[in-house]
Structures are given as structure tokens and as C-alpha cells.
Amino acid sequence: IETKVSIPFPLRKKFNEAEAVKGIKEHMQKSLEESLKALRTDYIDIMLVHDVRGKELINEEIVMEFLAKAKEQGKIRAHGFSVHTRQVEIIKSANKLNFYDVILAAYNHKGAYKLGGGSIKWDMNKMDNQLRKAAGNGTGIVAMKTCLSGPRSPGKGSPPTYMDAVKWVINHEFIHTTATAMANIRQIDENLGALG
């Protein structure tokens, strides 16, 4: 069971203010308790800090202390973060910390995706190096946005498919699993086919 805690953006800019620190801790605690209640469980397998947009958030002591304490209490078994933008910089910072158990990062065969009218790109060589380093540190890597770059052809003359796009991702030794969207039975079959 994986869930996320989202720290509201106005609070992210106030980590040095005593009143805001209290609010951040309370917000994270409330979010964890609500997840446990909604999922009817005593613990969460993976708790992620959602939508990290800068290395400052994952380096923040308040965040790390909260996650470490929740893990010690047995409320979560692993902690990490999700990242959509500035991925190479943020993952590089996480590698220096060697604190987080899991990274949920955008990864696909084009090194880019479009979402909500915007476009996100990354340097594939730098990304691969940082993900390989993270996996080597024992961090679990979960790839998302695996199909938002479109279908992929396995070779010359072969039609591109989403199954091959997913296959390309999971064939990287540093990718441990994917969070791949599925909206119908055909897409479930394609994703299962990628594992075969």
C-alpha cells in the first residue's frame, strides 16, 4: 500500500518560521492518520512526500524527522518522495543524503512527457546515472509517466505499442517497478504483456 503526503505550497516556503513548522508537522501527521483510517490499516507500506519540486524539501529536517519517527512507530515501513520536475538535481541531492527508501520518478523512452499543456524533459544520461546510483544505494525506484511519451517501436518495421514503451522502462536494471495507468482491459493486457 502506497500513499502520499502533500505539503501545501504556501507552507513549503516557511520552514524557518516556528508557527509554520508546527503547522507542517500537524499537517503531515493528520495526512498520515487520515490515510491509515481511509485504508483501514495499521501501517502504510510506502509513504511518499508528494510532488517535490526542489531539493530543499527533501533536505528539510522536519520532513525527515517526521518520516523517521513514523517508521520507528511502525506506521510506515518505507518512505520516499515523488518528483516530476528538476528530477536529476533532486535525485542527485537524495543520493547524497541516502535517507529515502523509495523514489517515484517520471521515466520513459523519450525522456519527456506532456501534461496539462506543459512539457517536462530531462537529460537521459544524467537521469540514468542518478537513478543507477540511487538503486545502488538500496533505494527502490518506481517509474511513472512510462506511457505519456507515446508508444515505442521495438525495432525497424515493427509498429509502436504502449506495451513496448513499458517494456523499455522495466528492462533497465535500476527500475524496480512502474506505476502505469490502466483505464481498460486492453491496457491491463498490454501491461501484463510487457512483463512476459
Side-chain angles (χ1 to χ4, degrees):
I1 299 170
E2 177 184 288
T3 190
K4 299 174 187 174
V5 56
S6 181
I7 300 171
F9 288 101
L11 288 178
R12 291 185 186 199
K13 296 178 180 179
K14 300 179 179 181
F15 279 108
N16 57 349
E17 297 175 20
E19 196 59 37
V21 167
K22 183 181 174 199
I24 291 164
K25 287 180 179 177
E26 288 173 357
H27 174 81
M28 293 179 78
Q29 187 62 43
K30 183 180 178 200
S31 181
L32 174 57
E33 297 302 331
E34 286 174 351
S35 290
L36 291 169
K37 185 177 179 184
L39 295 166
R40 291 186 246 162
T41 184
D42 296 329
Y43 67 89
I44 305 291
D45 291 297
I46 305 169
M47 170 69 84
L48 301 177
V49 177
H50 179 57
D51 197 13
V52 171
R53 296 186 183 185
K55 62 184 180 180
E56 301 77 20
L57 184 59
I58 61 165
N59 284 285
E60 188 53 59
E61 282 185 36
I62 300 163
V63 173
M64 292 191 287
E65 284 173 10
F66 171 81
L67 295 171
K69 185 177 177 186
K71 198 174 178 182
E72 285 170 22
Q73 293 171 336
K75 292 186 177 184
I76 63 174
R77 291 191 171 174
H79 50 66
F81 61 91
S82 66
V83 58
H84 302 77
T85 60
R86 299 169 64 196
Q87 295 189 119
V88 173
E89 170 195 334
I90 293 166
I91 295 168
K92 184 176 182 178
S93 183
N95 284 336
K96 288 178 184 172
L97 284 172
N98 202 16
F99 170 79
Y100 293 95
D101 303 310
V102 177
I103 298 172
L104 174 62
Y107 192 76
N108 58 51
H109 66 280
K110 287 190 179 171
Y113 68 92
K114 291 182 181 181
L115 189 64
S119 181
I120 307 292
K121 295 179 183 179
W122 57 88
D123 181 302
M124 287 296 278
N125 288 330
K126 290 180 180 177
M127 182 71 155
D128 286 1
N129 287 338
Q130 292 306 318
L131 290 176
R132 191 173 285 109
K133 197 175 285 186
N137 288 341
T139 305
I141 307 298
V142 182
M144 64 175 164
K145 315 299 184 200
T146 55
C147 294
L148 276 182
S149 60
R152 180 182 179 273
S153 173
K156 198 172 182 178
S158 299
T161 67
Y162 285 103
M163 183 171 72
D164 283 305
V166 174
K167 226 182 240 189
W168 182 89
V169 170
I170 61 175
N171 281 337
H172 287 78
E173 75 281 358
F174 49 82
I175 300 292
H176 299 108
T177 191
T178 66
T180 307
M182 294 173 272
N184 55 49
I185 298 298
R186 181 182 56 78
Q187 290 176 358
I188 293 170
D189 288 341
E190 284 179 348
N191 288 329
L192 289 173
L195 301 174

